[in-house]
Structures are given as C-alpha cells and as structure tokens.
Amino acid sequence: MHCGGGESHRTVCTRNDRFHPALPFRCTAQAPESEVRLYEGDRSLYSDCAATMYSIGHTINRQFIKLYDACYDTRIIPRPEGIQFAPYPVMSPGSARSFLTAEIYRRFNDTYGANQTYIPKRTLVINRGHLTASSDFLFDQQSRSTFKYVNAVPQFESINNGSWRLIENWVMSLRPMDSQLIVRTGAFGILQLRDDRNRLKPAYLLDDQRNPVPQWMYKRIITANRTSYVFLTHNNIFNEPPDHRFCNEVQCPNNLDLDRLPATGVTFCCDPTTFRVPANY
C-alpha cells in the first residue's frame, strides 16, 4: 500500500487466509489524489471509441499507475478553456450542477412541460451512474478515484440500485485470486420521452444537446479463461424497452437473479459474439 511522501506498507496473505502483518495499515502521510490524463497506450485496444480516451490513476514514485480507462465524448460535454486537465477535465463546475435534483426537475419542466410527471420536485430520480464501479477496488483511495465525471452518466437511481447493482456485485463474485478480469462498461442512445403535447423529445440535462440521459447501458466481462458475458440494461423506468437488434439474447447466469421490470432496469443477457454498440445511435 502506497501512502504519500514515499511511505509504503507491504503485507502478505498467508495460507491460513490471514494478512501478515495484519491489516489495517495507517498512513502517516496522505495518499496522493487520483489524476485524469489523456490515454497514452495502444489506441487499437479501444478501436470502438470514437471519442477521447482518458486514463485515471495515481502517480507513485514518479510513475503513473493506471486504475482504469474511460472513453468520453467531449463534444457532448466540452472541456472549458483554461481548466487544468486534472481532476475533472470533461466538465466545468457549472455543468456539473446539471446532476443536481433541482436542476434536473427544472430541465424536465422546460423540456416536457410544467405538468410533467417524470421527475417530481425535490425527489432524486436520476443520479450519477458509475461506469467503472467503486466496488471494483479494494482500497479507499482507489475507490474514490471512480467518483469523477469522466466516469459517470445520468442513470435512473432505481436502476442504479436495482439491476445495475446486481450486475456489479455479480462481476465482483467472478474476481479471481491470481489473475484479472477485463470489464468494459458504456452507454449509448438518448432517452426519448413524450412531452405534454405527446411529442417524443430527447432528454438532455444541459443546453445545446449536452449531457444526454442514455437509453442503454452495457457491461462486457471477459474472464481469465476467455469466457465472455454481456449485459444490456434499458435506462428507462417509465416504459418497456423497444425491440432491439444489438445482440442475440441468451439465458442469464443461474446465480444472477434479474427481474424484467422497468423500475429496476430491464436487462438482457447477450451472446457476446453478436453484441455490437451501434454507431450514431
């Protein structure tokens, strides 16, 4: 475990399933904050990302240790001029207010009419949905690195705490002791809802078609033995999902109990070989 100022601690998991020296450790110097940098790795690994790639991690002993990568379209939420790259390079503080409950209520009133019933006043309905889950990491400082706007999309709160959380917990149960999982999470499409004149309108949390509420979220998992899983969740608590052609549906894992209710997020388990993220959807 690395702390600040070059301080570090080391422990070993013994055969009797105990750490030696025992946990927890305490840092006398504060651990370094996580950083957001432009991705500098092999771009072909993310050939499906048509936007900007970022890496999130820590600088330890002058070396950048990456925790996860993120693909983010800064054309939808542009980075303001004059703002330093770290810690939140994709959104200004003013734009970040678009996630506030009162701002979402105002935006939905402006878009769908003052009598809209999608978002009640002073009620948390849409939240910041993590792409890389905070629970994917062991230590507090690593978990905190996921609380960045480059790693968040507007997601319905009941879906975040419903099917999406069940999927995240199921992925955690797959974590091997001596190897790693490859996990890719994303969102696409724009939620369409009817206004008070029965017209379909897209849901944006900012002016100029920025910070869209995605219609779909997905998670692709590849295990160490190359077994793949894909989950596709409809981010809409008001309506059943439309027919889609993004993948061929297969039976979900036996130990993953997902319901098919819009309120908790209708989720499809996909044949990984047929799943495609549509372009310009």
Side-chain angles (χ1 to χ4, degrees):
M1 182 178 74
H2 291 276
C3 304
E7 177 187 354
S8 63
H9 301 274
R10 181 181 178 86
T11 187
V12 176
C13 183
T14 62
R15 291 184 177 180
N16 60 357
D17 293 332
R18 294 184 179 181
F19 284 103
H20 180 76
L23 296 176
F25 292 132
R26 295 186 182 276
C27 292
T28 57
Q30 185 176 358
E33 290 292 334
S34 58
E35 307 171 33
V36 183
R37 296 186 175 188
L38 282 173
Y39 177 76
E40 296 179 349
D42 183 357
R43 197 61 171 81
S44 66
L45 296 176
Y46 297 106
S47 58
D48 54 344
C49 175
T52 305
M53 285 296 305
Y54 298 95
S55 295
I56 295 84
H58 298 273
T59 297
I60 299 173
N61 296 332
R62 299 183 180 180
Q63 182 179 358
F64 183 69
I65 307 298
K66 182 173 65 176
L67 296 174
Y68 63 96
D69 296 318
C71 173
Y72 203 94
D73 192 345
T74 53
R75 295 169 299 177
I76 297 177
I77 304 180
R79 179 165 63 96
E81 295 296 328
I83 299 295
Q84 296 298 315
F85 199 84
Y88 305 114
V90 297
M91 188 179 287
S92 69
S95 296
R97 288 181 55 83
S98 64
F99 280 100
L100 297 179
T101 299
E103 291 298 316
I104 294 174
Y105 173 73
R106 182 186 63 80
R107 171 63 57 179
F108 268 61
N109 279 356
D110 291 344
T111 304
Y112 301 106
N115 295 321
Q116 62 85 22
T117 58
Y118 299 119
I119 307 292
K121 192 173 184 179
R122 300 188 183 92
T123 302
L124 178 63
V125 178
I126 295 176
N127 207 345
R128 303 164 182 85
H130 276 63
L131 297 176
T132 296
S134 61
S135 57
D136 285 350
F137 299 99
L138 178 62
F139 296 107
D140 175 70
Q141 200 73 10
Q142 295 172 334
S143 295
R144 287 172 56 188
S145 74
T146 66
F147 287 84
K148 297 184 182 297
Y149 286 106
V150 73
N151 187 46
V153 295
Q155 185 182 40
F156 284 96
E157 174 74 1
S158 61
I159 294 177
N160 193 4
N161 289 325
S163 295
W164 201 247
R165 176 165 294 182
L166 291 175
I167 293 169
E168 289 179 338
N169 291 341
W170 183 83
V171 172
M172 286 182 61
S173 73
L174 294 180
R175 291 189 299 190
M177 297 296 294
D178 55 356
S179 59
Q180 64 182 6
L181 296 174
I182 298 174
V183 181
R184 286 195 179 186
T185 308
F188 62 89
I190 301 173
L191 177 68
Q192 302 267 345
L193 298 172
R194 294 193 179 276
D195 67 5
D196 53 5
R197 298 173 63 182
N198 203 35
R199 298 173 299 184
L200 275 176
K201 287 188 174 181
Y204 293 97
L205 301 188
L206 284 168
D207 292 332
D208 302 321
Q209 299 183 341
R210 295 180 300 155
N211 204 8
V213 180
Q215 183 181 9
W216 297 95
M217 297 187 66
Y218 68 90
K219 192 177 290 287
R220 180 194 292 269
I221 304 99
I222 303 175
T223 67
N225 63 6
R226 310 306 293 177
T227 301
S228 297
Y229 304 89
V230 173
F231 302 99
L232 179 65
T233 298
H234 191 227
N235 188 41
N236 184 338
I237 64 174
F238 308 109
N239 303 304
E240 293 285 344
D243 292 336
H244 70 87
R245 299 179 180 178
F246 307 131
C247 70
N248 294 334
E249 189 175 357
V250 297
Q251 183 176 349
C252 294
N254 292 331
N255 56 344
L256 181 59
D257 186 17
L258 297 172
D259 59 40
R260 300 297 285 263
L261 300 175
T264 53
V266 176
T267 296
F268 302 94
C269 296
C270 292
D271 176 355
T273 64
T274 64
F275 176 70
R276 297 290 184 273
V277 177
N280 302 319
Y281 178 80

